Amino acid sequence: MDVFMQEAIREAEKGLEEGGIPIGAVLVYDGQIIGRGHNRRIQNGSTILHGEMDALENAGRLSASIYKNCTLYTTLSPCPMCSGAISLYGIPRVIVGENENFVGEEELLRSRGVTLDVINDEKCIEMMKKFIRENPILWNEDIGE
């Protein structure tokens, strides 16, 4: 498995350890992680801190030329909000850990020219499946149902 996806999984596990939803992400530029994050909606009482949004926030303010040369690794298919941020900043490539438990706005991203690679990693799949089974109310809240 790719080292960057391993780091995204570590972020997801950190979120779970904190009592949150196990979704993690890392933003990679020039072979280096420049932003990492995990879903912290529960921990921070936040409406927007999905894993991808947290990674972007933690990367800090960057120039458009940096975003346009980044790859975002995320353990779960990006939701409409996160897909909007990916599109807004022109991130050209997203590596998705899994889309069996949730299929986000993959077609929107592709229609915007984003290269989307879904690897359906067994660890990502099982971690989310277990969380959804044990925490259906929190999961439904997170995806807006």
Side-chain angles (χ1 to χ4, degrees):
M1 179 192 308
D2 186 292
V3 65
F4 298 122
M5 184 55 70
Q6 289 175 350
E7 288 300 311
I9 291 170
R10 281 192 186 97
E11 286 294 322
E13 291 169 337
K14 187 186 297 183
L16 190 60
E17 289 166 9
E18 294 171 356
I21 299 167
I23 303 168
V26 295
L27 185 65
V28 176
Y29 173 74
D30 198 23
Q32 299 291 320
I33 295 173
I34 61 170
R36 59 175 60 240
H38 52 277
N39 188 305
R40 293 189 299 138
R41 289 186 68 252
I42 295 167
Q43 300 92 309
N44 288 25
S46 171
T47 58
I48 62 169
L49 280 181
H50 281 188
E52 300 91 337
M53 301 297 279
D54 194 38
L56 288 169
E57 178 70 15
N58 289 329
R61 184 173 161 224
L62 302 169
S63 72
S65 64
I66 302 243
Y67 291 118
K68 290 182 185 332
N69 289 289
C70 283
T71 299
L72 181 69
Y73 290 76
T74 179
T75 59
L76 187 65
S77 184
C79 76
M81 175 179 63
C82 297
S83 295
I86 291 163
S87 295
L88 176 67
Y89 291 109
I91 296 169
R93 186 170 184 221
V94 178
I95 311 296
V96 176
E98 71 109 339
N99 69 357
E100 288 190 16
N101 288 294
F102 175 77
V103 178
E105 295 295 325
E106 294 177 9
E107 289 310 312
L108 171 68
L109 289 169
R110 287 187 181 105
S111 77
R112 295 292 192 98
V114 175
T115 300
L116 203 67
D117 298 320
V118 180
I119 61 174
N120 278 325
D121 175 78
E122 199 57 40
K123 187 166 188 172
C124 292
I125 294 168
E126 289 307 314
M127 185 168 37
M128 275 313 306
K129 187 180 290 182
K130 182 175 190 277
F131 180 83
I132 292 167
R133 185 176 60 247
E134 293 175 358
N135 304 279
I137 293 170
L138 289 177
W139 170 245
N140 289 333
E141 174 190 315
D142 195 63
I143 60 169
E145 289 191 4

